[in-house]
């Protein structure tokens, strides 16, 4: 009876070791980087999209994913998800006026007279700012709009 139980114990131990080996053979160790935070994970998932879903990683069409979503996963792969946000900003720009000097024979030499008081103009500059994981990576000029026309001084 002891020999029989001993054989059963040995067979059971071998079966356990083999099943652990078979199960771990399907696991892939990969690196996942989300918003700059790197994590080592083990997964049985077969492609990038499934891994991101398994890890509850939220992304949208603007975000950058380092590997195609349908790419098969291999041991040692690195998947990086970069959160991309865009924002439009306005900046004001003062446009200085110029002074037009017109000679007037009725004035004494060296005397000046202001006929029209000059006023600076104001333009609005529009930019599109792009951020990767919250850090600005691009500032693109869109357009300049005249808010207040300048008036030259005569």
């Amino acid at each position: 009876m002891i020999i029989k139980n001993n054989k059963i114990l040995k067979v059971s131990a071998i079966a356990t070791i083999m099943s652990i080996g078979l199960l771990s053979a399907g696991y892939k160790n990969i690196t996942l980087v989300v918003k700059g935070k790197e994590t080592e994970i083990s997964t049985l998932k077969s492609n990038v999209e499934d891994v991101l879903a398994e890890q509850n990683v939220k992304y949208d069409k603007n975000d950058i994913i380092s590997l195609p979503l349908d790419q098969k996963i291999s041991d040692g792969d690195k998947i990086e998800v970069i959160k991309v946000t865009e924002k439009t900003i306005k900046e004001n720009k003062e446009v200085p006026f110029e002074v037009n000097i017109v000679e007037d024979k009725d004035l004494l030499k060296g005397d000046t007279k202001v006929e029209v008081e000059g006023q600076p103009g104001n333009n609005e500059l529009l930019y599109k700012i792009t951020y990767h994981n919250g850090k600005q990576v691009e500032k693109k000029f869109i357009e300049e709009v005249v808010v207040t026309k300048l008036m030259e001084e005569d």
Side-chain angles (χ1 to χ4, degrees), residues 100-113:
N100 294 328
I101 299 175
V102 180
E103 299 231 0
D104 187 343
K105 294 182 182 180
D106 294 337
L107 292 176
L108 295 172
K109 189 172 184 161
D111 284 348
T112 59
K113 176 175 106 178

Side-chain angles (χ1 to χ4, degrees), residues 56-114:
N56 296 317
V57 175
K58 305 292 182 222
Y59 57 91
D60 62 32
K61 63 181 172 69
N62 293 325
D63 295 341
I64 299 169
I65 301 172
S66 62
L67 300 175
L69 290 173
D70 61 351
Q71 181 170 319
K72 298 288 181 202
I73 295 296
S74 298
D75 197 47
D77 278 352
K78 182 175 186 176
I79 304 171
E80 185 170 5
V81 179
I82 299 171
K83 182 72 178 161
V84 177
T85 52
E86 295 178 336
K87 187 165 112 177
T88 302
I89 64 164
K90 298 175 186 179
E91 292 180 0
N92 288 317
K93 174 183 156 189
E94 187 176 284
V95 181
F97 62 86
E98 293 183 15
V99 176
N100 294 328
I101 299 175
V102 180
E103 299 231 0
D104 187 343
K105 294 182 182 180
D106 294 337
L107 292 176
L108 295 172
K109 189 172 184 161
D111 284 348
T112 59
K113 176 175 106 178
V114 177

Side-chain angles (χ1 to χ4, degrees), residues 6-16:
N6 199 8
K7 282 184 181 180
I8 292 173
L9 185 60
K10 284 181 184 178
V11 170
S12 180
I14 291 171
T16 302

